[in-house]
């Protein structure tokens, strides 16, 4: 009996000590990796690009838009270990403006391109086209035209289905369905998910025009261990878990994001890309990039852009020159989406707007291009004791 009591006490003490360590942990850059670029590969531009860790290669894949090639880098050394070159014309052509890929395995690489009548190419590592799938619609009165989100979280592949995260519309009449397509590769047919509907409690006349994609990119993440889908919208503190046939709203608020202050004003009726109001809101306000799942650590990360000072856009409207530093919010959750830690990462340490991906070591994003043209620095973020 005494042994049993002692065992329970020791176990409780151990769990308590773990809890204490977790509370003392902070979100921070814990390591970095330098990717060695060849003379054909450029760092990602300011609009972001696609990265992914490939488990079967133990490599980081990076889509080089200049040459239409996926470059592979050893995840430990950063050295180049090969590429998948896509054709620029002919039967294996992936389209005029490829901007997103998802590496499922060596024989299944999915590529989305603009200007291809809303189609998705299925390729292999040799750059050969295996199939082409379509998701265009004839009726855009009920939904926005199906433009996939960029940067990350556009594709979840769960054969025979593919889930495609699309841009949200700035017109309420086009948000009658979730901005997520479920495509059946066996039949090359698709449908929109019924929920979660975006921005139900927001007056869309207070948002910025859809040309500012920051506020409209939906993201879909899959928990590959239990099959959950997590949907995140940029101007919604909640996230939505699709488990089986049910959708559940979960608290995904970051302490650093705060309120979306610009939603208190009305936008101009006519879109003007040079309007300082539009520019100021797009470049200074807070929003969530989305949620990404790390299967190696069994954790979720929700990444956001921290507002550059309260009502910064109003100060700019008044003629004040405001150059507040860029800061990102990173919140880490466990597999059931219980918050583990909340933190802020300075833009000087990582540029999430140029790439977001995970590896067995943590959450990753490119650094500033300060190490020369032939080196791409990658920051790795996690829990630091």
């Amino acid at each position: 009996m005494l042994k049993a009591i002692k065992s329970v006490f020791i176990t409780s003490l151990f769990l308590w000590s773990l809890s204490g360590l977790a509370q003392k942990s902070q979100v921070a850059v814990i390591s970095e990796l330098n990717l060695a670029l060849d003379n054909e590969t450029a760092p990602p531009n300011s609009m972001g690009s696609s990265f992914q860790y490939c488990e079967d290669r133990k490599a980081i894949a990076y889509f080089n838009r200049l040459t239409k090639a996926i470059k592979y880098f050893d995840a430990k050394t950063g050295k180049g270990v090969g590429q998948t070159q896509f054709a620029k014309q002919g039967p294996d052509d992936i389209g005029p403006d490829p901007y997103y890929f998802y590496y499922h395995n060596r024989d299944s690489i999915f590529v989305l391109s603009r200007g291809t009548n809303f189609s998705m190419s299925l390729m292999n590592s040799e750059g050969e086209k295996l199939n082409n799938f379509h998701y265009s619609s004839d009726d855009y009165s009920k939904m926005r035209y199906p433009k996939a989100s960029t940067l990350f979280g556009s594709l979840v592949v769960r054969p025979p289905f593919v889930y495609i995260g699309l841009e949200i519309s700035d017109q309420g009449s086009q948000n009658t369905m979730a901005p997520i397509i479920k495509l059946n590769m066996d039949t090359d047919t698709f449908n929109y998910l019924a929920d979660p509907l975006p921005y139900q409690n927001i007056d869309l006349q207070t948002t910025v025009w859809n040309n500012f994609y920051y506020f409209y990119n939906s993201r879909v993440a899959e928990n590959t261990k239990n099959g959950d889908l997590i949907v995140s919208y940029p101007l919604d503190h909640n996230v939505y878990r699709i488990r089986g046939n049910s959708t559940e709203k979960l608290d995904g608020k970051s302490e650093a994001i705060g309120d979306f202050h610009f939603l208190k004003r009305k936008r101009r009726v006519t879109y003007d890309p040079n309007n300082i109001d539009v520019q100021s809101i797009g470049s200074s306000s807070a929003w969530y990039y989305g949620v990404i799942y790390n299967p190696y650590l069994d954790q979720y990360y929700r990444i956001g852009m921290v507002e550059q000072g309260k009502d910064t856009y109003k100060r700019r409207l008044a003629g004040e020159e405001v150059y507040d530093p860029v800061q990102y919010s990173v919140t880490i959750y466990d597999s059931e989406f219980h918050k583990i830690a909340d933190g802020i990462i300075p833009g000087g340490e990582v540029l999430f707007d140029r790439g977001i991906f995970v590896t067995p070591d943590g959450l990753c994003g490119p650094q500033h291009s300060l190490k020369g043209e032939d080196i791409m620095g990658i920051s790795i973020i996690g829990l630091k004791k």
Side-chain angles (χ1 to χ4, degrees):
M1 182 69 176
L2 287 175
K3 284 185 177 181
I5 293 174
K6 184 177 181 181
S7 176
V8 171
F9 173 75
I10 292 174
T11 301
S12 299
L13 184 63
F14 174 71
L15 293 175
W16 178 82
S17 65
L18 283 181
S19 175
L21 285 173
Q23 291 176 3
K24 294 178 181 178
S25 300
Q26 61 177 338
V27 179
V29 175
I30 56 177
S31 60
E32 63 177 26
L33 176 68
N34 290 327
L35 304 185
L37 304 180
D38 57 31
N39 57 9
E40 294 182 330
T41 307
N45 62 22
S46 60
M47 295 300 288
S49 190
S50 295
F51 291 82
Q52 190 182 339
Y53 176 75
C54 307
E55 170 64 29
D56 59 350
R57 294 175 179 266
K58 300 295 187 289
I60 295 170
Y62 165 59
F63 189 77
N64 183 27
R65 295 179 63 179
L66 296 180
T67 60
K68 287 191 178 181
I70 295 176
K71 301 285 186 174
Y72 302 100
F73 302 88
D74 184 272
K76 293 299 182 183
T77 66
K79 294 181 179 179
V81 291
Q83 69 173 2
T84 295
Q85 178 66 60
F86 298 118
K88 298 180 181 180
Q89 58 185 354
D92 293 323
D93 183 15
I94 56 174
D97 187 12
Y99 66 101
Y100 190 85
F101 81 96
Y102 175 79
Y103 181 101
H104 192 60
N105 55 45
R106 291 174 186 263
D107 297 320
S108 300
I109 302 173
F110 298 85
V111 181
L112 296 174
S113 294
R114 294 187 175 94
T116 56
N117 194 28
F118 310 119
S119 65
M120 177 179 65
S121 300
L122 173 61
M123 315 294 291
N124 62 19
S125 293
E126 285 69 50
E128 300 167 331
K129 183 179 290 188
L130 306 179
N131 212 331
N132 212 50
F133 304 99
H134 305 84
Y135 52 92
S136 70
S137 175
D138 296 327
D139 183 7
Y140 297 130
S141 64
K142 296 181 180 179
M143 62 198 73
R144 177 170 166 75
Y145 64 89
K147 181 180 178 182
S149 297
T150 58
L151 197 64
F152 78 105
S154 292
L155 293 177
V156 166
V157 177
R158 188 187 290 173
F161 301 108
V162 175
Y163 294 85
I164 306 175
L166 307 175
E167 287 190 358
I168 304 163
S169 176
D170 59 5
Q171 304 296 319
S173 61
Q174 294 179 322
N175 289 327
T176 59
M177 301 179 187
I180 301 164
I181 280 175
K182 183 179 182 181
L183 187 151
N184 188 325
M185 292 184 287
D186 286 344
T187 61
D188 196 12
T189 58
F190 71 94
N191 63 279
Y192 285 79
L193 298 189
D195 57 351
L197 295 177
Y199 298 167
Q200 295 303 288
N201 298 316
I202 292 178
D203 179 359
L204 291 174
Q205 291 301 308
T206 65
T207 62
V208 184
W209 289 96
N210 212 302
N211 299 55
F212 275 75
Y213 71 98
Y214 318 110
F215 306 118
Y216 302 102
N217 274 337
S218 66
R219 313 280 186 201
V220 185
E222 180 189 23
N223 184 321
T224 53
K225 295 183 182 298
N226 63 19
D228 288 349
L229 294 179
I230 301 291
V231 178
S232 173
Y233 297 139
L235 300 178
D236 191 339
H237 291 300
N238 298 305
V239 299
Y240 301 87
R241 178 168 59 197
I242 302 174
R243 177 174 285 178
N245 295 321
S246 64
T247 301
E248 179 184 5
K249 183 165 65 175
L250 304 174
D251 181 13
K253 182 178 175 60
S254 162
E255 296 303 320
I257 293 297
D259 297 324
F260 307 113
H261 298 288
F262 71 93
L263 294 179
K264 298 176 182 178
R265 73 10 142 201
K266 294 280 187 179
R267 70 173 180 218
R268 292 174 178 262
V269 176
T270 304
Y271 172 67
D272 177 4
N274 298 314
N275 183 270
I276 190 172
D277 185 52
V278 174
Q279 292 180 334
S280 297
I281 293 171
S283 61
S284 65
S285 300
W287 73 87
Y288 292 101
Y289 279 94
V291 172
I292 190 169
Y293 175 69
N294 191 330
Y296 310 102
L297 301 175
D298 201 16
Q299 294 175 342
Y300 293 102
Y301 310 97
R302 194 177 199 195
I303 305 101
M305 172 66 75
V306 178
E307 183 175 0
Q308 295 181 24
K310 184 176 179 180
D311 292 342
T312 296
Y313 76 94
K314 289 185 178 180
R315 294 155 59 197
R316 289 178 173 172
L317 279 174
E320 183 179 347
E321 292 188 3
V322 183
Y323 299 101
D324 294 325
V326 172
Q327 298 184 99
Y328 300 100
S329 165
V330 176
T331 309
I332 302 179
Y333 300 85
D334 66 16
S335 60
E336 286 297 315
F337 222 82
H338 300 132
K339 186 182 291 188
I340 297 174
D342 214 352
I344 293 177
I345 305 295
E349 298 182 18
V350 66
L351 289 175
F352 278 132
D353 60 336
R354 300 188 182 182
I356 297 173
F357 63 105
V358 298
T359 71
D361 297 316
L363 174 68
C364 302
Q367 300 171 346
H368 284 275
S369 300
L370 299 178
K371 297 182 177 181
E373 294 181 356
D374 58 346
I375 296 293
M376 185 195 307
I378 300 294
S379 291
I380 302 172
I381 294 160
L383 292 173
K384 185 176 182 179
K385 303 295 191 291

